[in-house]
Amino acid sequence: MTDRTPTSASVAAAATPTPLRAWWAAARPATLSIAVVPVVVGTALAWRDAGTIDWIVAVVALTAAMLIQIGTNLFNDVGDYERGADLPDRLGPPRATAMGWLPAADVRRAAATSFGLAMVLGAYLVSVGGWPIFAIGLASVAAGIAYTGGPRPIAYTASGEIFVMVFFGLLATAGSHFLQTGRLSGAALVAGAMLGALAAAVLVVNNYRDLDSDAQAGKVTLAVRIGRAATRVEFAVLLAVPFMLLPLLGMLTQAGAWLVLPLAVAPFGAALAAALWRAPITAAINVFLERTAQLELAFGLLLAIALVAR
């Protein structure tokens, strides 16, 4: 039987916060690294290819990516509440709308504002990168809204991991590289696959934790479809993929021995996969969300350093 007894820590976390803290919780800042790292790595790869980068473009792209992530998080906060998927007794971190900290209408407007600001910045990026950047930006905003919105939300299907890998891996990394160089790079796609796998692993932890409540709410994630044991295997595979792809990236970039740098966090990834396998399904499992995001951040920063090194 799943233990859903609130701990003292979870009760304290659910105490009514100040409005600023409520908005901070709704934006989910711990997940922003998922949006930041692909832009950093794509830009670092462009530096390796071209020997220079446009810093204004890099900063604007980074800001737009963060705004899209925040908008997606806010829509997720209110969308899950309205569909009955986020209840006050959930095992995951408290959600602002479900806890009554923020009105649903206000959260929805904030999400729309975040996406709107991203589109304003995107207009500048389109002037630099042309129609491919317009297509990527439009698709990213649409996917962020569709993640928990519309008649068939992405988050309520088994395709959530694919969504994350495409938008927070392949497109974000290759798009950032394209903005700087004006060309599509096979190396950027490989790097994007690495980061997308780690970002998807964050989602897997979320879905693994919520498997029972998601099934009750009609949220048929991949975890619900394949069960807990197979989801643990999926998590381990996603953590392994970035390290397995390093030799291929080395061949494409000629980065040489520098690409051993990301291997420094491989033991951390292995330990994380092993720990999830034996972790009980309680609120304590939320630490895996933060640790998996930290793994992607560390891996991405080390990869960026390896790419800019000569």
Side-chain angles (χ1 to χ4, degrees), residues 78-182:
V78 69
D80 277 349
Y81 164 73
E82 292 174 345
R83 292 176 181 274
D86 274 352
L87 300 177
D89 66 342
R90 67 192 297 270
L91 286 177
R95 295 298 180 224
T97 312
M99 296 303 298
W101 298 340
L102 298 171
D106 288 354
V107 177
R108 189 172 292 280
R109 277 194 293 269
T113 300
S114 186
F115 282 129
L117 291 172
M119 293 178 71
V120 170
L121 295 178
Y124 169 71
L125 298 177
V126 169
S127 72
V128 174
W131 70 265
I133 299 302
F134 174 79
I136 291 173
L138 186 62
S140 297
V141 171
I145 295 171
Y147 188 69
T148 47
R152 187 171 172 76
I154 296 170
Y156 286 64
T157 70
S159 59
E161 284 89 336
I162 295 175
F163 160 84
V164 170
M165 291 186 73
V166 170
F167 287 95
F168 293 98
L170 296 172
L171 291 183
T173 308
S176 299
H177 179 275
F178 182 88
L179 273 170
Q180 297 288 343
T181 65

Side-chain angles (χ1 to χ4, degrees), residues 156-260:
Y156 286 64
T157 70
S159 59
E161 284 89 336
I162 295 175
F163 160 84
V164 170
M165 291 186 73
V166 170
F167 287 95
F168 293 98
L170 296 172
L171 291 183
T173 308
S176 299
H177 179 275
F178 182 88
L179 273 170
Q180 297 288 343
T181 65
R183 63 181 181 85
L184 181 63
S185 164
L189 291 174
V190 172
M194 292 174 165
L195 302 176
L198 291 173
V202 177
L203 176 64
V204 169
V205 174
N206 184 80
N207 292 344
Y208 178 75
R209 179 201 63 214
D210 294 341
L211 190 154
D212 294 329
S213 59
D214 282 349
Q216 293 172 6
K219 192 173 180 180
V220 189
T221 63
L222 183 58
V224 170
R225 286 187 178 275
I226 66 178
R228 291 205 183 276
T231 302
R232 291 194 292 265
V233 173
E234 178 195 9
F235 180 70
V237 169
L238 288 172
L239 294 189
V241 163
F243 302 100
M244 295 170 63
L245 288 177
L246 278 173
L248 176 58
L249 186 64
M251 287 190 294
L252 293 173
T253 62
Q254 301 298 310
W258 284 105
L259 280 179
V260 302

Side-chain angles (χ1 to χ4, degrees), residues 252-282:
L252 293 173
T253 62
Q254 301 298 310
W258 284 105
L259 280 179
V260 302
L261 280 178
L263 290 175
V265 297
F268 180 75
L272 202 57
L276 183 70
W277 194 273
R278 58 180 180 268
I281 309 302
T282 67

